[in-house]
Amino acid sequence: MRTTLRSARRLLMPALLLSTAVGCTETGGAEPGGSAEASCAYVVTYANRSYQDVANTDFTVGKKLGTATIPACDDTPNDPPDAIGEQRITAYAVEGTDPAVAIAVGDTPAGAILMKAR
């Protein structure tokens, strides 16, 4: 019986992962051709530069620089134009990096994410 349970668990896990992956994919959108609407990229503006988020990179947050701006986003066709308006977030230096190259943004230093100039 134990071998049967192990075999069932081995088969169940990939099946669950596959169903989760299929359930999370886009199958079309509001457009007649079935293509989905694009989502707004996470971009901030600080000191007249645009920065985009960077994943899976180690960094150390430095001193507070000021306030960065998250531009308004309208990626949902039926929402009012000002559904997600411009927002402000704290910008921090990244130790050992010029702010012209990268900054970190977040409500707190511990929650800040790395942003690289575009």
Side-chain angles (χ1 to χ4, degrees):
M1 182 81 169
R2 288 184 183 175
T3 305
T4 305
L5 280 173
R6 275 190 234 140
S7 296
R9 286 181 185 159
R10 286 186 196 144
L11 293 173
L12 182 60
M13 202 53 163
L16 288 173
L17 291 172
L18 179 61
S19 67
T20 301
V22 170
C24 292
T25 60
E26 292 181 302
T27 58
E31 295 189 22
S35 62
E37 291 287 321
S39 293
C40 297
Y42 188 60
V43 175
V44 300
T45 303
Y46 174 76
N48 296 321
R49 290 184 195 88
S50 292
Y51 297 82
Q52 191 160 6
D53 61 323
V54 179
N56 302 324
T57 303
D58 291 330
F59 67 98
T60 302
V61 176
K63 67 178 182 170
K64 181 178 175 180
L65 296 172
T67 302
T69 303
I70 304 170
C73 176
D74 181 19
D75 65 349
T76 308
N78 297 324
D79 282 351
D82 59 351
I84 302 175
E86 183 177 276
Q87 300 173 23
R88 307 258 186 248
I89 193 163
T90 304
Y92 300 93
V94 174
E95 286 189 10
T97 305
D98 185 331
V101 175
I103 60 172
V105 296
D107 294 327
T108 65
I113 60 171
L114 182 63
M115 306 292 286
K116 184 177 179 184
R118 302 196 302 166

